[in-house]
Amino acid sequence: MALPRLLVRGLAWPGCGRALHRAASASAPAAPDFNSFVTRTNTCGELRSAHVGQEVTLYGWIQYQRQGLFLVLRDFQGLTQIIIPQDEAHSHVKKLLSDAPVESVVRVTGIVSLRPPGQENLKMSTGDIEVKVETAEILNSCKKLPFEIKDFIKKTEALRMQYRYLDLRSFQLQYNLRLRSQIVMRMREYLCNLHACACSSGFVDVETPTLFKRTPGGAKEFLVPSREAGKFYSLPQSPQQFKQLLMVGGLDRYFQVARCYRDEGSRPDRQPEFTQIDIEMSFVDRAGIQRLIEGLLQYSWPEERGSITTPFPSMTYEEALADYGTDKPDTRFGMKIVDISDFLRRSDIQFVQNALSYPHGTVKAICIPQGVEGGVSKQLRAVLSCWLELNYDITVSLGIPLILAQSRYLKNKDLESLKESAKSQFNQEIMEIICRPDGSLKSLLTKFLGEKQQSELIQALNMQVDDVVLLAAGEYKQVCSALGSLRLESADLLEAAGLVLRDPTVFHFLWVVDFPLFLPKEENPTELESAHHPFTAPHPSDTSLLYSDPTKVRSQHYDLVLNGNEVGGGSIRIHRAEQQRFVLEKVLKEDSEVLSHLLEALEFGAPPHGGIALGLDRLISLIVDAPSIRDVIAFPKSFKGRDLMGNAPDYVTSEELEPYHIQVSWPLAEKEAKNPLT
Amino acid sequence: MALPRLLVRGLAWPGCGRALHRAASASAPAAPDFNSFVTRTNTCGELRSAHVGQEVTLYGWIQYQRQGLFLVLRDFQGLTQIIIPQDEAHSHVKKLLSDAPVESVVRVTGIVSLRPPGQENLKMSTGDIEVKVETAEILNSCKKLPFEIKDFIKKTEALRMQYRYLDLRSFQLQYNLRLRSQIVMRMREYLCNLHACACSSGFVDVETPTLFKRTPGGAKEFLVPSREAGKFYSLPQSPQQFKQLLMVGGLDRYFQVARCYRDEGSRPDRQPEFTQIDIEMSFVDRAGIQRLIEGLLQYSWPEERGSITTPFPSMTYEEALADYGTDKPDTRFGMKIVDISDFLRRSDIQFVQNALSYPHGTVKAICIPQGVEGGVSKQLRAVLSCWLELNYDITVSLGIPLILAQSRYLKNKDLESLKESAKSQFNQEIMEIICRPDGSLKSLLTKFLGEKQQSELIQALNMQVDDVVLLAAGEYKQVCSALGSLRLESADLLEAAGLVLRDPTVFHFLWVVDFPLFLPKEENPTELESAHHPFTAPHPSDTSLLYSDPTKVRSQHYDLVLNGNEVGGGSIRIHRAEQQRFVLEKVLKEDSEVLSHLLEALEFGAPPHGGIALGLDRLISLIVDAPSIRDVIAFPKSFKGRDLMGNAPDYVTSEELEPYHIQVSWPLAEKEAKNPLT
């Protein structure tokens, strides 16, 4: 989050950005003011020169205190400089405030005064004034802190989480949580109030149960033992079944800011509980859902993050795989994957011929420009080109090997690590081609290529001087995936070298559509599993294929991608019982008994319906450019699923387990080593 | 819910009440209309004579179909009459619509026409028009229903819950869920948008974790096994700790529509998961929270339920107990408890003297008027008096025993059942006194009372002719509780006999304050437990008593009562670590280790703070006058905690339990009888 971070680094607590007051602009009949219900007259971010002469009462935390002369008082809204009286009559107040440790909570009452000329602080919204204290009270003292409450103070993640309530006082977390609250409120306004006719609000906010039962394949669902022996509730991964049942129930338009649960053990940047904006509509098609979501995001988008343009571009799954090697392309920069099979088909390169002899064989490549293509601006490229040329001369004249100069941003070791990564992650060999300053190609392949082939290749890949091409031959999906991964790794390397390839203030939304409905199971490729979930409807053009060749059926699933991250997904659902039963029983070979209630519901006049869910934590973290979703969650768990502040999960006594008819099966080693319940 | 029920009983699906469109009145810049994103042109509640001549496309369920001539199409918004074409050219459409079973989902396209003169239906909002079908499509057929989708069709609760998605199509549930959604949205507007300064919204909507750990005394918390052997999460009963930690974190004003969990086994009209409006503020006192909640409820109150007056009246716990025998008085009617100890102190009545000889001995009574006192209006009382007098003459002339006439509403058997109830529930003997038509008293006690004492008693109890007084002597709290319970039972009896004592359109809010901070433990009265929870702050006037005589300390807890139901409760919290530690360790004798994170947080500059939680399910059920909170929850559980639709909780395999290191300890009988996992 470039802007706020910069602001925070200065002395000023910046109050809040523009986005933070938009919610206040809603029509507010006789709105009570912000200091209602409490005895303060003002917040610490509020006072200006217009308040000079007023007596005010502020409550806040001592951010800083200097030699008994002044202190800086902080609340959620800002900072105010407080002048400690030095006269005898106020000696009590002076002692009180001088002795109070930093981060103690105080009440001060005093008179707003202009700061002496020249002492104004332009970086502080209250920088024109100071408050001359008359009376003060220490409401609660603070013991020695484990870390300073300043954003620029580095502290370990574990320490931050252990003292989360202290970390929450930082500007960054206050900002993130407040912005999150406001974005969600704007989304609610859009869904509840805007899509309304004269008679009834459009979307109904319906709360669905979180104590349910296992869904088929719900291996990632937490269990909750019930008081009935052997019976367990399950915490669902989404309200999927309930929202479909609401459509069968005629609710027409449902939404919920839904808490969901997923037990994945230890995975980085995942949380065992998370939140999604969950939406379902009757009588809708894919385009309807897409327009709804575009409107929703545009309406709730924070002003200070710029504006977003709708409709969002759309891409099929096949295109995404072919051009970006992934189903969640980051379209903020180029370096797209290019198919060069046809250029090399007539070459004598053995591994290329080998790859192309297989039915799904292909040869593809990405061209890594010297950091400018797909980057910020042409001006910058011009500047960089000059600089590179200059550098090139220097390196040559100094006898530094040419490769270093050619790959100013991508070093030799970078290339090696890229190739290594493709090998280890995808078992994919990578060949590089470098475009020399004279325009000729440097590669192990060049000797197999004629001049015409070389120039065709340069043209196809749009190679410029110094560009590096990574080439892969092999099975189609493997080649695409490997190059897609290298594309992102290269971008990381280029940015680590100082290029701005993915501007954090730019937001590229993208719809990815036409996914396959089924995929071969990883553990047994002759069997099929749902690419998303078994309720996804087949693409209308492919319905008949469902019964003849289900592997070829595209689905009506759609993903919403933001800057290369999946931030949402949904589908038009199957609404006919016989089709749903066929998918479950004949294609997926699952026991449909566990879904009998849903199958039966579809038989009682279920309307055609579809929906979507947006991953709120991820979306907000991208909007505020937070490094982790933990930075947009008030009390996140560690990557091992632990609450480091409250120490959850924790041991319970066997008496507490009794009503639930369960007992712990201690792993043998542990059982012998200790009895943790004593 | 008197009004909507009446409307539903007529043919008309009433569209919606006025409350349902208030949400739409929020400023809506270029609002997309309600039929956005879908291919219908209108909803089934929308068409009026102004639409005549238009071609429209409607989607909905077949509510009713008659002889292939017409049908009534229903969606969430209303009903439209559809005329089936009879000409040869449309024979296909006619067959389609005539053959479709009731509750099938169809699309119809046709022309809006005026109904023939005299055939308008005034009870239907679309009653002026009908739609002459041109084309139609059956989107999904409906098999034979387990019950009719009509509010007046009685069905068992179990059947309703098994086919909840069908029950949801009823007007009543649609109305309840939509109103709930709108009330919550209005609450959010009040909290997020209204209490805002120029820079930041007032209340921050913060999501707190539901996977936490056991709180002390958290015997009612569901457990969630984790992947760490022997360690369990717990589903908290409220976000209490987290909201206090948010205040320590400087969030200033927090709210959340929070999902909470409580495992109480089988209890009528409780749900294992429920929702509360959870609020916390820093630097606030009791009055501040009360004014906030009054404003919140007034702002979000549905228009069609009348308006509510603020501030709400307030009563101390002692007053509530003395006057109503309960901490949640229903103040919609009188029949208050009257202390008559002083009038009887000089009498010779043995059991009275006996009771008064004990330190907490008392004699109290309630006077049950002939149903009018505290009832609707004086006019009605006048009418009833006339009628009663008339009746009296008749009964006397017919030789019917006087008592029947005297107790026109309270029969002899009613009196017996009241006395029985006091005996069985409270072990309390009850004596009755009846006021004869001549003004004299009929009771076993009268012979012990002089004329002056009798007339004093009549005056003290404000007895009128035919009134029945129930008298109890004994220990103060027992007497109050018994009479408080009889007061409500009498009201039930009077209403069963046809009196309107508690007008369902009247809403009496009441604050109950100054609760005791601690209560003797039921199982061991020499030990103390928190009356509410251990974080409640002592009353400022009683702070010093905390250290000398904790049993006498009043708390800063407050309850919000609506029509005799507790709908909210909160308190100012302890914000100093040493006081919190004293309460936990010295008064409650609890192991404070499990709360060490909270105690430590209080040491790092915790601000004074307080809050409240409103029980949303209960509040909404009172607003819509639903018999159960199940009627305001989309997918409620049975009183045994079961989801009868999806069959949760359910058995899981022992393989599924393995990652959680638990196994089922089958009760012996069950273990032998069956193995449910096969």
Side-chain angles (χ1 to χ4, degrees), chain A residues 40-167:
Chain A
R40 69 177 164 227
T41 60
N42 299 84
T43 62
C44 295
E46 218 177 329
L47 299 175
R48 300 287 184 276
S49 50
H51 296 88
V52 165
Q54 291 184 14
E55 185 182 87
V56 296
T57 297
L58 308 179
Y59 288 78
W61 284 260
I62 298 177
Q63 169 99 345
Y64 178 78
Q65 191 264 119
R66 192 167 158 182
Q67 294 175 334
L69 295 171
F70 71 93
L71 59 82
V72 175
L73 198 65
R74 186 197 69 236
D75 69 9
F76 68 98
Q77 216 210 350
L79 303 170
T80 299
Q81 181 161 298
I82 308 292
I83 303 300
I84 303 174
Q86 304 297 317
D87 57 318
E88 196 54 43
H90 290 91
S91 62
H92 173 69
V93 173
K94 180 176 177 181
K95 181 163 170 37
L96 208 73
L97 292 177
S98 310
D99 291 353
V102 162
E103 291 301 317
S104 295
V105 188
V106 299
R107 176 192 61 73
V108 296
T109 298
I111 308 291
V112 183
S113 315
L114 273 185
R115 293 195 188 187
Q119 292 187 26
E120 300 88 353
N121 184 343
L122 293 176
K123 290 195 212 140
M124 231 172 143
S125 57
T126 63
D128 284 339
I129 59 93
E130 55 196 16
V131 173
K132 298 206 155 109
V133 178
E134 287 295 322
T135 65
E137 186 186 357
I138 310 296
L139 300 167
N140 216 349
S141 191
C142 181
K143 73 174 185 184
K144 189 171 167 7
L145 294 167
F147 54 78
E148 274 192 83
I149 318 282
K150 294 202 173 92
D151 287 275
F152 58 87
I153 300 284
K154 289 266 177 240
K155 44 248 167 193
T156 67
E157 182 83 11
L159 201 63
R160 288 179 58 191
M161 288 178 70
Q162 187 186 346
Y163 296 100
R164 188 66 172 181
Y165 44 86
L166 294 179
D167 205 27

Side-chain angles (χ1 to χ4, degrees), chain A residues 330 333 335 409-410 418 485-499 501-502:
Chain A
D330 189 341
F333 65 103
M335 288 165 56
Y409 291 96
L410 276 195
L418 288 171
S485 176
L486 293 184
R487 176 176 172 269
L488 295 178
E489 285 177 54
S490 307
D492 288 344
L493 291 168
L494 293 175
E495 293 197 334
L499 270 183
L501 208 60
R502 295 164 295 193

Side-chain angles (χ1 to χ4, degrees), chain B residues 504-654:
Chain B
T505 66
V506 164
F507 295 92
H508 276 229
F509 281 101
L510 172 75
W511 290 109
V512 180
V513 300
D514 291 354
F515 284 83
L517 185 54
F518 306 108
L519 293 173
K521 279 190 188 166
E522 260 184 51
E523 62 278 19
N524 181 0
T526 63
E527 290 178 13
L528 291 179
E529 63 186 2
S530 295
H532 294 94
H533 59 57
F535 315 116
T536 312
H539 196 287
S541 326
D542 298 354
T543 310
S544 63
L545 281 173
L546 181 63
Y547 304 93
S548 55
D549 189 355
T551 59
K552 290 222 165 54
V553 179
R554 291 166 302 161
S555 74
Q556 293 198 61
H557 179 93
Y558 27 84
D559 265 355
L560 181 62
V561 173
L562 171 56
N563 293 354
N565 299 275
E566 186 196 323
V567 292
S571 59
I572 302 303
R573 328 295 184 184
I574 295 172
H575 70 280
R576 293 228 167 115
E578 63 276 15
Q579 194 177 65
Q580 185 66 75
R581 191 168 279 122
F582 180 85
V583 165
L584 286 171
E585 292 173 2
K586 302 299 176 197
V587 183
L588 301 173
K589 320 275 190 217
E590 280 195 29
D591 177 13
S592 64
E593 182 52 35
V594 72
L595 285 173
S596 58
H597 58 285
L598 191 73
L599 283 164
E600 192 172 23
L602 297 184
E603 289 175 328
F604 285 120
H609 60 288
I612 195 166
L614 303 181
L616 185 64
D617 307 301
R618 175 65 58 213
L619 179 65
I620 303 288
S621 75
L622 290 170
I623 291 175
V624 303
D625 194 25
S628 158
I629 59 168
R630 289 190 295 276
D631 294 319
V632 298
I633 295 172
F635 299 100
K637 300 223 165 33
S638 76
F639 81 101
K640 284 191 171 159
R642 291 211 190 106
D643 181 317
L644 300 179
M645 176 187 68
N647 188 32
D650 205 359
Y651 295 112
V652 301
T653 64
S654 47

Side-chain angles (χ1 to χ4, degrees), chain B residues 194-304:
Chain B
L194 288 194
H195 289 219
C197 73
C199 187
S200 177
S201 75
F203 282 81
V204 191
D205 180 4
V206 182
E207 298 181 66
T208 58
T210 55
L211 292 173
F212 197 48
K213 71 165 180 182
R214 286 238 149 174
T215 46
K220 290 172 180 169
E221 288 173 3
F222 285 103
L223 291 173
V224 181
S226 79
R227 285 170 189 260
E228 293 185 72
K231 289 193 174 181
F232 293 79
Y233 298 104
S234 167
L235 299 176
Q237 291 181 62
S238 89
Q240 184 63 36
Q241 289 187 48
F242 290 110
K243 65 179 179 170
Q244 292 194 236
L245 290 165
L246 286 173
M247 295 304 104
V248 180
L251 261 286
D252 200 68
R253 297 177 173 209
Y254 143 92
F255 88 101
Q256 184 182 192
V257 181
R259 189 70 59 90
C260 303
Y261 301 86
R262 191 168 43 203
D263 178 21
E264 300 187 296
S266 304
R267 281 190 59 175
D269 217 23
R270 289 280 185 116
Q271 288 284 315
E273 48 187 320
F274 57 98
T275 303
Q276 64 189 35
I277 309 291
D278 200 50
I279 289 172
E280 196 80 8
M281 282 173 88
S282 293
F283 312 116
V284 74
D285 60 8
R286 182 178 83 195
I289 296 285
Q290 288 176 333
R291 296 303 86 80
L292 169 76
I293 294 302
E294 287 158 359
L296 174 77
L297 286 167
Q298 198 164 43
Y299 182 80
S300 58
W301 200 253
E303 222 170 273
E304 72 190 75

Side-chain angles (χ1 to χ4, degrees), chain B residues 114 169 266 345-346 413 416 456 475 477 567-568 573:
Chain B
L114 273 185
R169 292 184 193 165
S266 304
R345 202 175 293 280
R346 286 176 311 267
K413 69 170 168 52
E416 286 315 308
E456 277 175 357
E475 192 273 330
K477 201 164 173 188
V567 292
R573 328 295 184 184

Side-chain angles (χ1 to χ4, degrees), chain A residues 473-488:
Chain A
E475 193 271 330
Y476 182 81
K477 200 164 176 187
Q478 176 180 312
V479 164
C480 292
S481 302
L483 288 177
S485 176
L486 293 184
R487 176 176 172 269
L488 295 178

